[in-house]
Amino acid sequence: MIQTFPTTPFDGQKPGTSGLRKKVRVFQQPDYAENFIQSVFDVAERPAGSTLVIGGDGRFHNRTVIARAIEMAAANGYARVLVGQGGILSTPAASHVIRKYGASGGLILSASHNPGGPDEDFGIKYNIANGGPAPEAVTEAIYARTQTIDRWMMVEGEVDLDRIGTSQVGDMVVEVIDPVADYAELMEELFDFDAIRTAVRGGLSMAFDAMHAVTGPYAHEILERRLGFPAGTVHNGQPLEDFGGHHPDPNLVHARVLYDLMMSDDAPALGAASDGDGDRNLIIGKGVFITPSDSLAMLAANAHLAPAYAGGLKGIARSMPTSAAADRVAEALGIPLWETPTGWKFFGTLLDAGKATICGEESAGTGSDHVREKDGLWAVLLWLNILAVTGKPVAQIASEHWARFGRNYYARHDYEAIATDKANALMAALEASLSGLPGQSFGALTVSAADQFAYTDPVDGSESHKQGVRVMFACGSRIVFRLSGTGTEGATLRVYLERYEAPDGRLAEETPAMLADLIAAAEAIAGIAAHTGRTAPDVVT
Ligand code: G1P
Ligand code: ZN
């Protein structure tokens, strides 16, 4: 029996860079999650008889919202729900399941790399039938619907999320599926598992930090069971509702233990980590950190070594703040390079149209056209495939890459939890100063151009404005300023710094020293200290 509950709109149910993210306490308010999910169902394109995929990263509050989402799907006319056992589906696995089973879309319950627990973060993201995050037109429609919503609907029912199998809620079939099986099978199709297994027997070693988040079960199955890495290769492999009290964010701050291991004499050949929902990756070779921007470029340059990409790449796409390292690879391969706004949703049309094969973001995101999300374990497996086939250590692959293409020294400085009005004032002042910047010098750096990045999607023509301030220098260096769209507290200012050294330049220097001039210029141009009172970033990645 369908039950209809009257409701009134909540302010601020606007999806950000990656879905609606709020504190758990916000999501726990009566009707809060229900209003958002009902708004999704009210606007989503879903023909009669549609299948909906539901999964999450296992964080606190997941099971509560999943149970309710299933009841609501039954009342809203879905024929079938596919849900991962225990409510678990990594974001890339969810994308794959949506595509494989022809679902009309999916709900992914995650706040990605943000911490979890009763006082931490939660999120809901809607993905469309291609398996990718809903594009802006859809998220805008969802948001508009949240502002007028007056009822939500459900059919009471109970599903044992821990037991694989089929049950019924109202007229709707609910299938609890193995969250790992389909994904692991896809990875076996893409990569040369035989070559990797042989290399493992020959001594190829690695450490994978699952950060007590969703990739634990995936990594145990793929790395240890299927590829033969010894037990213990996967660290922190058990998903926990609060991620063991840590941020499941694979960067040099939160994956410090892994970093220290990789810089030690006992380091294995490859160190890697993934985030809360399994779409990000951190890559560290023995004694060498590979920036995500460099990883994208190196993966693209060597992708032909993996079976799935042996026929070559159609194109490479990167978000605007990501370094231009991949541009040089695209040029050498004679394929297009697409520069998009921040957020994976902008890659969907390019992948669907066959304009790009590999995509990446400086925020530890890399992926390909095998799904429509970034994919942490995919990146790790492509690295392993390359290491296995070449027999070279990561450091050698990196140094040979830089010797061929040059090196883009790169860092991102984050200033977190700034008062929103101060952050907005900083950006407004920066925007107002843009037209006067070209020609000005900051130390040895002279500004050649400065603008607000805007984007017109080459496939569907949709436009996105105000996607970050770019300041370009005559020497090829660049600073980008933008405010985060994923935070749940105040504003986060991101400052992206990039300096290019040609193949005959200084390729083996320390990044902070190489970026010192740019850091000073960023302060001079944006007045970060004056606006925010902050004299140093909270996180450097
Ligand atoms: C951040 C990253 C962005 C990524 C997003 C979702 O968004 O910068 O590249 O796509 O998380 O994982 P931001 O907080 O900068 O808006
Ligand atoms: Zn994530």
Side-chain angles (χ1 to χ4, degrees), residues 17-18 21 112-113 275 279-280 319 342-344 361-363 374 412 482-487 492 494 496:
T17 311
S18 186
R21 286 209 194 146
S112 189
H113 50 288
D275 71 328
D279 58 359
R280 294 188 175 203
S319 66
T342 299
W344 208 261
E361 293 195 274
E362 52 65 42
S363 53
K374 55 189 179 243
R412 188 179 93 188
R482 61 179 282 282
L483 297 183
S484 158
T486 58
T492 294
R494 304 201 195 283
Y496 309 80

Side-chain angles (χ1 to χ4, degrees), residues 17-219:
T17 311
S18 186
L20 180 69
R21 286 209 194 146
K22 301 283 174 195
K23 291 287 171 203
V24 166
R25 303 261 182 231
V26 175
F27 267 104
Q28 283 173 326
Q29 298 172 84
D31 298 332
Y32 192 89
E34 287 84 352
N35 274 16
F36 187 74
I37 294 169
Q38 185 64 54
S39 299
V40 170
F41 293 165
D42 284 348
V43 307
E45 201 174 297
R46 46 193 192 97
S50 283
T51 296
L52 177 73
V53 172
I54 305 180
D57 62 10
R59 69 178 56 229
F60 182 80
H61 205 47
N62 247 18
R63 283 172 180 263
T64 312
V65 175
I66 288 179
R68 182 48 52 82
I70 291 172
E71 293 180 315
M72 292 180 64
N76 279 277
Y78 282 97
R80 181 170 70 148
V81 157
L82 301 177
V83 56
Q85 186 180 24
I88 295 277
L89 273 178
S90 76
T91 292
S95 182
H96 177 51
V97 170
I98 292 170
R99 295 164 66 77
K100 179 168 176 177
Y101 297 100
S104 63
L107 290 172
I108 300 179
L109 310 184
S110 169
S112 189
H113 50 288
N114 296 9
D119 295 313
E120 302 294 354
D121 293 356
F122 193 75
I124 304 182
K125 182 167 84 160
Y126 181 66
N127 281 28
I128 57 172
N130 75 351
E136 276 192 334
V138 177
T139 55
E140 288 299 328
I142 295 170
Y143 177 49
R145 181 65 189 136
T146 65
Q147 294 170 302
T148 58
I149 188 142
D150 58 1
R151 59 90 184 90
W152 59 269
M153 301 180 293
M154 65 169 246
V155 172
E156 223 174 294
E158 215 166 310
V159 174
D160 182 355
L161 280 182
D162 295 308
R163 202 172 47 85
I164 290 186
T166 302
S167 59
Q168 192 99 10
V169 173
D171 296 332
M172 187 182 78
V173 173
V174 180
E175 286 178 36
V176 177
I177 61 170
D178 178 336
V180 177
D182 291 316
Y183 178 83
E185 195 182 296
L186 175 64
M187 293 301 118
E188 289 221 36
E189 285 165 21
L190 300 178
F191 301 114
D192 190 344
F193 272 39
D194 282 336
I196 302 173
R197 272 190 289 262
T198 305
V200 172
R201 279 196 298 275
L204 177 64
S205 56
M206 80 166 299
F208 181 83
D209 187 350
M211 307 191 92
H212 287 304
V214 80
T215 47
Y218 296 84

